Amino acid sequence: MLNASVRFSPSNIAALKKALRSGYPHIRSSHLDEAIAASFGFNSYAAMRPVLLDVSTYARLVVNTNHLLLLLRLEELGYRDIAPEELRRLIWRIEFPQAWHDGEIEKAIQERRRPPAANA
């Protein structure tokens, strides 16, 4: 099963939360924070927050979302009525503001794959 890859940045986390809030309006905001942190492998939102701010300032980190970890944390918080595949599809449809790659990386990859000119 493939999971969506996303750049680990505050704006992308905010987009993820916004999409989850629109798809599941009955879930409390703080519970979504905890579930999002769990989906990235953190024990709590409080543990994820400083890492998110530090990493996004100095590096590009691409992480895989894990809808099953998110779902498990929501179940621990009392939300048992969420279908795993529906949650997975919702995450795949999110338009994240920061792509996991940018123009520089894409250009570098294209340059590496471009064959040398025949008349060079």
Side-chain angles (χ1 to χ4, degrees):
M1 178 179 323
L2 295 174
N3 292 313
S5 296
V6 61
R7 188 170 174 178
F8 194 59
S9 70
S11 60
N12 284 350
I13 301 303
L16 175 58
K17 183 175 179 180
K18 182 178 179 182
L20 291 171
R21 285 195 55 93
S22 67
Y24 303 98
H26 66 285
I27 299 175
R28 290 179 46 193
S29 177
S30 61
H31 290 170
L32 282 175
D33 288 337
E34 293 299 318
I36 289 169
S39 75
F40 293 117
F42 291 93
N43 290 330
S44 68
Y45 181 75
M48 181 187 79
R49 188 75 180 147
V51 174
L52 174 64
L53 296 176
D54 286 346
V55 168
S56 63
T57 301
Y58 299 108
R60 279 186 221 135
L61 178 64
V62 176
V63 294
N64 287 326
T65 60
N66 190 325
H67 71 286
L68 295 176
L69 290 175
L70 192 142
L71 184 64
L72 284 173
R73 184 65 178 124
L74 287 174
E75 286 181 355
E76 289 173 0
L77 294 168
Y79 304 97
R80 303 200 187 290
D81 59 341
I82 300 170
E85 281 306 308
E86 182 182 315
L87 178 61
R88 183 172 175 262
R89 281 191 296 274
L90 183 141
I91 292 172
W92 270 103
R93 287 192 306 261
I94 297 171
E95 298 266 343
F96 290 102
Q98 287 190 314
W100 64 268
H101 60 83
D102 58 16
E104 287 180 34
I105 293 173
E106 191 170 334
K107 184 177 175 185
I109 290 171
Q110 288 174 351
E111 290 295 322
R112 290 182 116 184
R113 292 188 174 163
R114 182 174 294 149
N119 61 357

